[in-house]
Amino acid sequence: MRIKRAAVVTTAVLMSASLLAACGGGGSSSGGSADGIYSIYIGEPENPLVPGNTTESEGSQVLEALFTPLVTFNDEDNSVEYNGVAESVESEDNTTWTIKLKDGWTFHDGTPVTAESYTKAWSYNALSTNAFGASYFFENIEGYADLQGSDTAEPVATELSGLNVVDETTFTVKLTGPFAIFPLTLGYTAFDPLPEAFYADPDAYGARPIGNGPFKADSDFVPGQGFTVTKYDDYKGDNPAQSAGVNFKVYTELNTGYNDVQGGGLDVMLDLPEDAWATARDQFGDRYGERARPDITSLGFPTYDPRFQDPRVRKAFSMAIDRQAIATAIFTDTRTPAGSFASPVVDGYREDACGANCELNPDEANRLLDEAGFDRSQPVDLWFNAGAGHDSWMTAVGNQLRDNLGVNYALRGDLQFAQYLPLQDAKGMTGPFRSGWIMDYPSIYNFLSPLYSAAATPPAGSNYVFFNDPAFDAALAEGNNAADIDAATADYQKAEDILIDQMPATPLFYGLNQAVWSDRVSDVKIDNRGNIVLEDVVVS
């Protein structure tokens, strides 16, 4: 999800809401704190602020301030740029890669960023006993299997054998096979470095992270409140902070945050409550911006629940949903109905890949449900996280299931984001659930493997539907072993075809980021990964 350059936010085309941004609770009435510092809305992060264990939107926005990745992405075409710490990432066979770091980068505690800062962190992230959510991102590095324990056995190693430090600023990465898109993945947070201070006290580090980014943490992050980070004067990147700092303010409700930014108690807010989707542009004028979000919102099916183990049931539910009607009636045409498991912004996206399985067809849906012997006498639970504007559209989904399939429903939308995600990890979804995913790096692979591969099964990853299909994993592996990105993409599309046949989730909508800001700040931009470019914001 990491990028450096960002375009000025435009008053553009689409509109949507906060499908992905979690949402939080109460904010304070004061705006940007001290002189030169501005405030920004976030929801409660799920975990302590460690790159390898921060896989959701709220914590990621904070880490955007504190870390600079190895590579960045061009804001227009998503190509890899070397505006981060890496000077080069090269390979002759797409299997063994040499990563050369730029000189002079330091962590906020003054210690140097070295090759070992990466190799040691990546092994720590991958080790199963640490139970980090981004562990599966390292699955194709040689030695990963040895770091995975089981219920009856400890891992046989603690370091990835495929990593080798050549010198202070150079290391090599040996993968289990060719992986043409490897440089793309290095822009994601999970691949950020860690200083030695982390290993001395991981818990303390998670509260006050020490990174290498444009801002540094001077105090602990306080759950339910947030914290303030300040400009790092020794930052080595090309894009230093233009403000003195950022006050991350934790909220539990979008409406509270929106009221605060309207009243001058909050400076920047990304993602708006549903009441503001259609009106914010006019209300804020040149203090409003929007940009298509590289995301997808789906309805996930708990494949571990006997009621949803039959693909015919999952297809029936998918065919009972009129996406366009919800987009128009609920989102006032600020959402785009989804016809693929991938986002339109990535290479490999096919506009109508899902075909009939994602089109409204009550007759066929009922035929499939009857054929599968689904018990319609029992209602289904529909899950979503609270406070993020999901109530109305999930109610509409429930109404359509009731009207088109004769299945009653019960809404389960009372958990905050930080509570909702762990319940997904624990197979706690007792019915279809709202699932949102935003791009970590620009490839169709990023919309498939992290969500549906066996290696991404929680706690190692985000396969919350607990889908497990060897043919799907094999198709992904074929893509990983392809000679170039085009060939890899073709194989990834074959993997998507398997998803469409099995439907462990059903694609629903593509979103849009909407941002508003106070008259204290300017140069507010949204990058192509859907984050505010924190270092570019100017405080008047």
Side-chain angles (χ1 to χ4, degrees):
M1 293 179 68
R2 315 288 76 115
I3 194 169
K4 215 66 172 116
R5 295 184 54 204
V8 174
V9 174
T10 57
T11 49
V13 200
L14 304 169
M15 292 170 70
S16 72
S18 52
L19 295 181
L20 294 168
C23 20
S28 74
S29 58
S30 60
S33 322
D35 288 347
I37 293 177
Y38 68 94
S39 57
I40 186 169
Y41 175 107
I42 62 167
E44 185 75 54
E46 178 189 13
N47 296 314
L49 298 168
V50 180
N53 201 27
T54 299
T55 59
E56 41 75 32
S57 56
E58 308 312 288
S60 291
Q61 180 72 85
V62 178
L63 294 184
E64 284 285 317
L66 300 174
F67 287 87
T68 294
L70 282 166
V71 303
T72 59
F73 305 118
N74 182 280
D75 198 60
E76 301 300 325
D77 62 13
N78 289 330
S79 60
V80 170
E81 294 185 330
Y82 290 90
N83 294 325
V85 182
E87 181 175 291
S88 62
V89 180
E90 297 176 339
S91 177
E92 295 181 354
D93 59 3
N94 287 343
T95 298
T96 300
W97 296 82
T98 299
I99 299 176
K100 178 69 177 174
L101 308 181
K102 297 172 184 172
D103 292 325
W105 281 76
T106 58
F107 289 105
H108 301 148
D109 61 0
T111 57
V113 176
T114 67
E116 190 175 82
S117 304
Y118 291 91
T119 60
K120 199 171 176 179
W122 295 6
S123 289
Y124 192 96
N125 295 343
L127 187 63
S128 66
T129 51
N130 292 326
F132 272 17
S135 171
Y136 65 95
F137 279 90
F138 304 91
E139 63 163 329
N140 62 346
I141 297 178
E142 203 167 82
Y144 179 82
D146 291 338
L147 272 63
Q148 307 309 302
S150 67
D151 292 340
T152 57
E154 291 291 312
V156 299
T158 58
E159 296 181 358
L160 291 163
S161 60
L163 302 179
N164 179 50
V165 173
V166 177
D167 59 37
E168 189 83 353
T169 56
T170 309
F171 65 104
T172 60
V173 184
K174 187 174 183 182
L175 305 179
T176 54
F179 190 36
I181 68 169
F182 181 65
L184 277 175
T185 68
L186 300 179
Y188 181 47
T189 308
F191 294 93
D192 287 345
L194 289 173
E196 284 302 311
F198 167 78
Y199 305 100
D201 191 342
D203 291 338
Y205 181 93
R208 191 186 302 189
I210 300 169
N212 64 334
F215 296 96
K216 58 184 175 64
D218 298 318
S219 61
D220 286 1
F221 185 93
V222 180
Q225 298 181 30
F227 69 168
T228 296
V229 300
T230 58
K231 180 178 181 177
Y232 179 44
D233 291 330
D234 293 328
Y235 179 63
K236 292 293 292 185
D238 297 334
N239 203 20
Q242 300 303 305
S243 68
V246 186
N247 176 19
F248 290 95
K249 300 175 71 172
V250 174
Y251 288 79
T252 58
E253 294 289 340
L254 288 168
N255 281 314
T256 308
Y258 193 67
N259 290 338
D260 269 4
V261 76
Q262 286 179 307
L266 178 70
D267 290 317
V268 179
M269 183 173 185
L270 178 67
D271 296 326
L272 309 180
E274 57 183 295
D275 290 346
W277 294 341
T279 59
R281 181 189 291 111
D282 292 336
Q283 286 189 5
F284 282 84
D286 60 2
R287 293 185 289 112
Y288 168 88
E290 63 184 40
R291 181 169 184 168
R293 181 163 33 201
D295 76 337
I296 187 168
T297 292
S298 302
L299 192 68
F301 297 107
T303 63
Y304 48 82
D305 184 331
R307 296 188 80 187
F308 295 96
Q309 288 179 345
D310 191 325
R312 292 173 295 184
V313 171
R314 304 193 293 255
K315 290 177 183 176
F317 274 62
S318 178
M319 292 180 181
I321 299 171
D322 187 342
R323 294 158 179 77
Q324 185 60 64
I326 295 174
T328 299
I330 305 297
F331 296 120
T332 59
D333 288 322
T334 61
R335 292 286 194 286
T336 304
S340 165
F341 280 86
S343 164
V345 306
V346 298
D347 288 341
Y349 164 76
R350 296 171 293 172
E351 183 176 357
D352 192 29
C354 188
N357 283 354
C358 290
E359 295 174 358
L360 178 66
N361 188 341
D363 291 340
E364 178 64 6
N366 278 285
R367 187 191 70 78
L368 288 170
L369 213 57
D370 288 340
E371 189 177 276
F374 189 82
D375 182 4
R376 301 173 196 244
S377 68
Q378 300 300 314
V380 295
D381 289 336
L382 296 179
W383 288 85
F384 56 96
N385 53 296
H390 303 309
D391 303 64
S392 296
W393 71 265
M394 283 296 288
T395 299
V397 167
N399 289 341
Q400 291 185 353
L401 295 177
R402 182 194 60 205
D403 296 344
N404 293 329
L405 295 178
V407 177
N408 285 320
Y409 68 94
L411 296 178
R412 302 294 301 270
D414 55 346
L415 295 180
Q416 293 296 320
F417 195 51
Q419 301 166 305
Y420 181 73
L421 293 181
L423 192 63
Q424 291 183 326
D425 279 353
K427 295 186 176 180
M429 299 289 103
T430 54
F433 56 93
R434 171 258 173 191
S435 177
W437 186 255
I438 193 165
M439 179 179 78
D440 300 317
Y441 52 85
S443 169
I444 184 177
Y445 182 78
N446 186 234
F447 285 85
L448 303 179
S449 180
L451 296 175
Y452 304 108
S453 70
T457 301
S462 302
N463 181 0
Y464 299 126
V465 295
F466 287 80
F467 181 64
N468 190 338
D469 188 322
F472 174 77
D473 292 338
L476 290 179
E478 285 292 318
N480 294 345
N481 293 332
D484 54 45
I485 291 179
D486 288 342
T489 297
D491 286 321
Y492 297 149
Q493 289 173 336
K494 294 176 184 175
E496 185 188 19
D497 289 340
I498 293 171
L499 288 184
I500 293 164
D501 181 61
Q502 295 295 312
M503 296 297 280
T506 182
L508 293 178
F509 307 107
Y510 301 122
L512 173 97
N513 284 120
Q514 291 176 283
V516 295
W517 53 91
S518 74
D519 57 10
R520 292 185 67 244
V521 298
S522 61
D523 294 85
V524 179
K525 308 163 188 172
I526 304 172
D527 68 24
N528 54 358
R529 289 164 305 110
N531 290 316
I532 294 293
V533 186
L534 299 167
E535 61 269 35
D536 281 2
V537 175
V538 175
V539 180
S540 59

